[in-house]
Amino acid sequence: MSTVINKAKSQYRKALMLEAGILVFITLGFFLGFGYAGFSFLVGSLASFIAHCVFVYWVFFRNSAKDLTKMTAFYRGEGIKWLVTILWIVACFKWIPNLNFVLFFVGYFIALLLNNLIPFVLSKRTH
């Protein structure tokens, strides 16, 4: 396996751990500030975070003979990421009573921002 792929795998491990810690910290703040409505922030952030974890696993940590190139794995991973996100959001809207939609999407967009920002910052920090 190439050095670049190994470096990316290591970087994404760190990024996912850091993002999980940041989201837990922010979620605790929302629980303290908004009570049960903080749960809406949690499930919103998980909609983005879990889908991103699935994508990272699919692209970097899964070995399959079907994926002849990394680009094939990337595109399949993106498709699965969107599917997981859509299913999570539909399930939350359908089965969680009293969901605060504003906090849900605040959590979703903060996690989405962190999905992109943390790996970028870590890559700049290592150079």
Side-chain angles (χ1 to χ4, degrees), residues 18-43:
L18 182 59
E19 182 176 353
I22 291 170
L23 289 175
V24 165
F25 182 75
I26 294 172
T27 299
L28 290 175
F30 274 100
F31 270 113
L32 292 174
F34 296 103
Y36 178 77
F39 181 71
S40 297
F41 176 87
L42 173 65
V43 295

Side-chain angles (χ1 to χ4, degrees), residues 3-13 56 60-61:
T3 306
V4 173
I5 298 293
N6 283 334
K7 185 176 179 183
K9 285 171 75 170
S10 173
Q11 181 179 345
Y12 271 101
R13 275 191 195 108
V56 169
F60 292 110
F61 297 99

Side-chain angles (χ1 to χ4, degrees), residues 58-79:
W58 191 271
V59 172
F60 292 110
F61 297 99
R62 190 183 74 79
N63 293 325
S64 174
K66 289 181 181 178
D67 294 330
L68 300 176
T69 67
K70 280 295 175 185
M71 287 308 293
T72 303
F74 178 81
Y75 288 125
R76 285 185 182 159
E78 272 299 316

Side-chain angles (χ1 to χ4, degrees), residues 58-106:
W58 191 271
V59 172
F60 292 110
F61 297 99
R62 190 183 74 79
N63 293 325
S64 174
K66 289 181 181 178
D67 294 330
L68 300 176
T69 67
K70 280 295 175 185
M71 287 308 293
T72 303
F74 178 81
Y75 288 125
R76 285 185 182 159
E78 272 299 316
I80 292 170
K81 179 180 178 178
W82 279 106
L83 180 65
V84 168
T85 301
I86 291 166
L87 292 175
W88 185 276
I89 290 173
V90 168
C92 288
F93 283 10
K94 183 172 177 140
W95 291 313
I96 297 178
N98 303 323
L99 185 69
N100 183 322
F101 296 110
V102 172
L103 286 179
F104 178 90
F105 283 108
V106 166

Side-chain angles (χ1 to χ4, degrees), residues 49-61:
F49 181 70
I50 289 174
H52 185 64
C53 289
V54 168
F55 169 76
V56 169
Y57 168 76
W58 191 271
V59 172
F60 292 110
F61 297 99

